[in-house]
Amino acid sequence: MAQELDRPIQQKDQDKLGRGPFVEQLTDALVDKKNKRSSGLVVSLLGAWGSGKSSILNLLEADLKSRYQNAVVLRFDPWLIANRDSLVRQFLSDLGNALSKDAGAASKAAKKARELLSEYDDVINIGIDAVGLLSFSLFSSGLKAAKGALKKTEKTLHQLKTEINETIKDIPYPIVVLIDEVDRLDDSEVLEIMRLVKAVADFPNVSYLIAYDVDRVVEALGASARTAEDAGNRGRAYLEKIVQHQVFLPALFEAELIEMFRGEVKTVASEAEFPDSRYSEDRYTVVENAIFPTLIKTPRDLKRCVGIFRTLYLMVRGEVNWIDLLGYATLLAKAPSLTERIKSDPIFFSSDFGRGGAAYLRYGMDAPSAAEQLAEVLGENYERKRPEAKLIQALFPRFVEKARLSDDHTRIEHYRALSFLIRQGTPPGSLPLRAVQNVFELSSDELVRYFGDSVSAGQFDDLNYILSYHYASFDNCDHVKFWTAMAEWCRKPDRTIPTSHDPRVGYLEVIEGSFRSAVGKSPQLANVILEIVRTTADVGAVEFAARVLRDQVWAHGLFGREGRHDFHKVGKAADWEKACQEFGAQWKEEHLASDWFFGNWKESPVWFLSDVGAWDEPCVQRLNGLTEDEAAFEAFVMMVFGRHYRVDRSGAEKLMGWDNFARKLTRLQNGSAGREFSNDVRDAVEKAKDSVMARDRPTPDVDEPAA
């Protein structure tokens, strides 16, 4: 189990920065190795907040106890004490309790020291400023309390301290006080701690190590000065009178921090892989170089970032790229106000950034310039002023370039991944990847029902998005069963003549695109694609099977076609050629013997027959015969010209011959007076009329499959 990332290390085996020798040197400064007594020094351990001082104190305590078995090590944390007036009393009480635990030969001296410390505490805390060390803060509480305390002892403050000194000298083991979190105190409390060490508790055989950020303590000790310069001088002078040795934390090289960072990340994300060189172009390197050294400078920075990363990883693993998660966790830790801006700024969810970003590229639209976007979101001169700008640009590259969005849709430059991250879970209406994984466990009949239910629930688009861009996550599943059920769900269920577009026409196109994308991302799916063609054809999903076959005809350049690089080539050309010939012969025979043509939403299977050389004059005549009926020709026009489809003169000529097509279209137009067409038929007829009017204009063939 990973250690608590936001807490100081406790044991030597957790030390990943090799601080062992440094800690041993601190022990030698605090304890005289010859007589095994404390050196009596006051040593300061200096480092910025979060630089690892508390971890050093933990290691130091362990080293002291291991090397000097009877040593008394008192950890005093003044930040936990409620108010300034309690600091001295709590310290003296803690020191007395620590000494009272001795049960050995020196227990008598230790017990006496504790009793004297208690008396010392009583006298000090009645508010008598006997040696000018403490304020008269308690005097105002009344002389009655003061007199009551004095009755407990007839000794003066000086006499008590002298007795304590003599008693502690007789204790034959070192006493070391470790004081942490001083830089978290307010000014008066910092001053009180320094007075405590300098005068109240400067006992023999007691060494002190005080850990703090020197700038903060100097500021506090000089707070009463009139000017900043005087404050600095006064604070440093005060420290020089108290502290004998100032020790800075060992320099932490960037390479050490990065190595530690990688180790912590690896404990969270087992799939994390790191490049061998920091100068590679690996995506992780880009993000890492944006984090170091400007954002993560201390071990505490590191642990906070990795701690946030671990929480996010548990929430959205699999949905969001782990590298992006790591970068975003760093932003949350180091630039929280900026991440709040990301959550609320519309530009991150607008068409030019999110799901519609690809549309800008697809339709040739110019996205806003990098400078405009960066200025709008991050503010003028942001990059020069704020260190997180480089990381923002690494996570959202569209701010700095107009390049195509990455193919990895788990990166937060894509809308869906960003939505999951901002939500820290599944956004409303979205499908998590794990839910789709469960879909593959359904039976064929259950799958067919599921696809219909996903439409009703408004999740069909999200399902196909996942299939398009995340299909590699489902490699260990029954690909044939899944895609056969999906093709069966959206196939035309009968051979009736349609009068309007069925919604499943659109779903079939979406599924075809998802299947293409999934094949390109999943080798396992690609290995069974021919089997899927056969099973989908067997259940009557001829149009889906024909579209997949056409893709491979054009990818491999079969039947005299010129191969196209915009189709993903799968398997061997010879296998596809054989399958195409087999299906071409089978479907041609069905067409000649039946109304097979109207068993499809679109004329895609006819284009397949044309591709493989099976569509000939008898096939043309058969289609002419089927469409002599006016209603059948209306359906034909809607199939060929409806929605966003259109063929040119050469396409119409291949299907049924130009003269036949023009004659029937003219008949349809002449006989349409007083007839009510469906909107789908009416729109298709208008497009068909455009083709008739353009018969003498040269037009390109458009019977090739869309990329």
Side-chain angles (χ1 to χ4, degrees):
M1 184 176 179
Q3 69 182 67
E4 292 297 326
L5 292 175
D6 198 31
R7 296 184 179 181
I9 62 174
Q10 304 293 326
Q11 302 171 358
K12 187 176 181 180
D13 60 3
Q14 296 174 337
D15 177 22
K16 298 178 181 179
L17 297 175
R19 298 297 190 245
F22 174 73
V23 169
E24 292 174 2
Q25 291 171 357
L26 284 178
T27 298
D28 291 340
L30 297 169
V31 179
D32 189 327
K33 288 193 291 186
K34 294 180 180 179
N35 60 25
K36 299 183 180 180
R37 303 276 185 99
S38 293
S39 63
L41 293 175
V42 177
V43 178
S44 62
L45 179 64
L46 308 182
W49 191 81
S51 58
K53 300 185 297 295
S54 297
S55 294
I56 292 292
L57 263 62
N58 291 339
L59 296 175
L60 178 60
E61 180 179 4
D63 188 61
L64 284 163
K65 290 180 177 179
S66 66
R67 292 172 61 183
Y68 303 98
Q69 294 184 358
N70 294 322
V72 171
V73 181
L74 172 61
R75 294 292 296 271
F76 186 64
D77 192 344
W79 194 57
L80 299 178
I81 299 171
N83 57 67
R84 173 191 171 199
D85 297 329
S86 301
L87 284 174
V88 173
R89 167 161 286 175
Q90 189 64 54
F91 174 79
L92 294 174
S93 174
D94 288 353
L95 180 59
N97 289 335
L99 292 173
S100 68
K101 294 178 181 179
D102 180 17
S107 60
K108 184 176 181 181
K111 182 179 179 182
K112 182 179 179 181
R114 182 190 181 190
E115 293 171 353
L116 289 169
L117 285 169
S118 179
E119 292 183 64
Y120 190 50
D121 171 53
D122 287 338
V123 173
I124 287 176
N125 281 283
I126 64 170
I128 299 176
D129 197 1
V131 291
L133 297 174
L134 300 175
S135 67
F136 215 76
S137 60
L138 296 182
F139 186 73
S140 59
S141 63
L143 291 176
K144 183 177 180 180
K147 292 178 180 179
L150 287 172
K151 288 180 180 179
K152 296 179 182 179
T153 178
E154 299 298 328
K155 300 171 185 175
T156 66
L157 190 64
H158 178 74
Q159 289 174 328
L160 280 170
K161 189 171 183 185
T162 300
E163 285 191 48
I164 292 172
N165 289 345
E166 294 299 323
T167 302
I168 290 182
K169 280 182 182 179
D170 294 336
I171 297 177
Y173 45 76
I175 303 169
V176 178
V177 178
L178 307 180
I179 303 179
D180 198 3
E181 309 285 14
V182 174
D183 41 17
R184 292 192 180 195
L185 305 176
D186 62 32
D187 292 349
S188 62
E189 291 169 333
V190 171
L191 183 62
E192 202 67 19
I193 286 295
M194 294 305 170
R195 285 174 167 170
L196 169 69
V197 173
K198 176 61 179 176
V200 176
D202 59 334
F203 306 127
N205 195 26
V206 178
S207 294
Y208 289 88
L209 185 136
I210 316 173
Y212 52 80
D213 179 340
V214 66
D215 292 337
R216 167 69 190 108
V217 171
V218 166
E219 176 190 29
L221 295 178
S224 60
R226 293 183 178 180
T227 68
E229 183 178 357
D230 288 345
N233 292 335
R234 178 179 295 184
R236 280 185 286 273
Y238 202 115
L239 273 180
E240 289 173 1
K241 295 177 181 179
I242 298 171
V243 177
Q244 282 87 30
H245 295 292
Q246 289 188 344
V247 179
F248 286 88
L249 279 174
L252 182 60
F253 295 117
E254 184 181 338
E256 291 181 281
L257 202 57
I258 289 174
E259 192 61 30
M260 181 179 176
F261 182 71
R262 291 183 173 192
E264 298 287 7
V265 170
K266 191 72 173 179
T267 64
V268 176
S270 58
E271 75 266 34
E273 295 182 1
F274 308 105
D276 295 331
S277 170
R278 286 200 67 204
Y279 304 102
S280 70
E281 296 182 358
D282 182 273
R283 173 155 176 83
Y284 172 80
T285 303
V286 173
V287 172
E288 185 181 85
N289 288 339
I291 293 173
F292 292 95
T294 56
L295 291 175
I296 292 184
K297 301 178 180 180
T298 69
R300 179 164 299 190
D301 288 340
L302 185 154
K303 291 178 180 180
R304 285 183 62 216
C305 293
V306 176
I308 295 172
F309 169 61
R310 179 174 60 182
T311 302
L312 290 175
Y313 186 80
L314 293 174
M315 292 177 174
V316 296
R317 64 177 301 180
E319 303 286 353
V320 184
N321 182 284
W322 71 268
I323 298 173
D324 284 7
L325 270 179
L326 191 58
Y328 189 79
T330 304
L331 287 177
L332 281 174
K334 302 300 294 181
S337 61
L338 179 59
T339 52
E340 286 301 316
R341 179 74 182 275
I342 291 173
K343 292 179 182 180
S344 60
D345 200 312
I347 193 171
F348 284 91
F349 298 96
S350 66
S351 61
D352 59 65
F353 174 78
R355 182 173 294 175
Y360 269 82
L361 299 166
R362 186 182 308 121
Y363 298 115
M365 301 169 66
D366 289 331
S369 70
E372 290 171 343
Q373 288 195 49
L374 198 58
E376 182 178 351
V377 178
L378 304 180
E380 186 179 1
N381 298 322
Y382 187 93
E383 186 173 0
R384 292 199 297 271
K385 293 180 179 179
R386 300 293 295 272
E388 61 267 22
K390 188 176 179 181
L391 182 54
I392 282 284
Q393 293 168 3
L395 296 177
F396 305 106
R398 285 180 62 81
F399 283 135
V400 292
E401 60 187 26
K402 294 183 181 179
R404 183 183 179 88
L405 291 171
S406 71
D407 289 333
D408 181 359
H409 284 242
T410 63
R411 292 182 183 173
I412 62 175
E413 63 184 291
H414 292 274
Y415 175 86
R416 188 176 191 273
L418 181 62
S419 298
F420 270 80
L421 184 54
I422 298 300
R423 182 73 176 189
Q424 298 182 57
T426 306
S430 295
L431 280 174
L433 288 177
R434 61 182 178 275
V436 180
Q437 181 72 64
N438 296 334
V439 171
F440 283 87
E441 303 301 320
L442 301 176
S443 67
S444 295
D445 291 341
E446 289 171 333
L447 278 170
V448 172
R449 289 194 296 272
Y450 170 79
F451 298 133
D453 292 343
S454 69
V455 172
S456 301
Q459 294 183 327
F460 185 79
D461 287 344
D462 211 34
L463 170 64
N464 279 278
Y465 185 94
I466 292 172
L467 296 177
S468 296
Y469 301 111
H470 300 278
Y471 196 82
S473 303
F474 313 123
D475 275 343
N476 297 320
C477 66
D478 190 337
H479 305 284
V480 177
K481 178 187 71 174
F482 180 84
W483 288 103
T484 301
M486 181 166 265
E488 182 179 8
W489 168 73
C490 63
R491 72 178 177 86
K492 193 169 185 293
D494 52 42
R495 296 183 178 180
T496 57
I497 296 174
T499 57
S500 62
H501 282 302
D502 189 286
R504 282 172 288 186
V505 179
Y507 298 141
L508 175 60
E509 294 174 338
V510 172
I511 291 169
E512 177 196 7
S514 300
F515 184 74
R516 281 181 180 174
S517 180
V519 168
K521 291 178 170 57
S522 170
Q524 286 82 354
L525 177 60
N527 288 338
V528 296
I529 185 173
L530 190 53
E531 185 179 352
I532 290 173
V533 169
R534 296 187 184 282
T535 56
T536 53
D538 288 343
V539 298
V542 172
E543 191 171 350
F544 178 86
R547 288 170 182 247
V548 176
L549 288 167
R550 292 196 77 203
D551 285 355
Q552 295 308 308
V553 169
W554 290 95
H556 287 279
L558 303 179
F559 303 100
R561 301 284 178 173
E562 183 178 350
R564 284 173 50 171
H565 299 293
D566 48 348
F567 287 91
H568 183 70
K569 188 185 296 184
V570 178
K572 297 178 180 179
D575 293 338
W576 285 108
E577 185 170 14
K578 180 180 178 181
C580 287
Q581 290 171 339
E582 175 188 333
F583 283 109
Q586 176 185 336
W587 292 340
K588 175 182 178 180
E589 183 179 347
E590 288 191 47
H591 170 60
L592 293 175
S594 68
D595 51 359
W596 171 87
F597 179 84
F598 289 114
N600 305 289
W601 298 120
K602 286 277 292 137
E603 80 285 5
S604 303
V606 172
W607 296 125
F608 165 72
L609 294 180
S610 177
D611 289 341
V612 301
W615 187 258
D616 54 14
E617 186 60 25
C619 293
V620 171
Q621 293 304 319
R622 176 58 184 167
L623 183 56
N624 269 314
L626 288 172
T627 55
E628 281 299 333
D629 175 77
E630 193 164 321
F633 184 72
E634 290 176 14
F636 169 84
V637 171
M638 184 180 65
M639 292 169 68
V640 176
F641 294 92
R643 290 166 60 91
H644 53 272
Y645 322 126
R646 183 193 295 271
V647 300
D648 60 11
R649 173 178 173 174
S650 64
E653 191 164 6
K654 284 182 182 179
L655 290 171
M656 63 172 55
W658 180 257
D659 291 338
N660 284 320
F661 173 77
R663 174 178 59 82
K664 293 176 182 178
L665 184 61
T666 301
R667 182 189 67 183
L668 184 63
Q669 291 177 267
N670 293 338
S672 63
R675 291 189 54 196
E676 284 295 328
F677 292 141
S678 69
N679 290 335
D680 293 332
V681 172
R682 183 180 299 108
D683 291 342
V685 169
E686 290 301 316
K687 289 182 181 179
K689 285 167 57 178
D690 290 342
S691 294
V692 172
M693 294 171 62
R695 63 175 293 178
D696 295 324
R697 292 200 297 258
T699 53
D701 286 344
V702 293
D703 62 328
E704 298 179 2

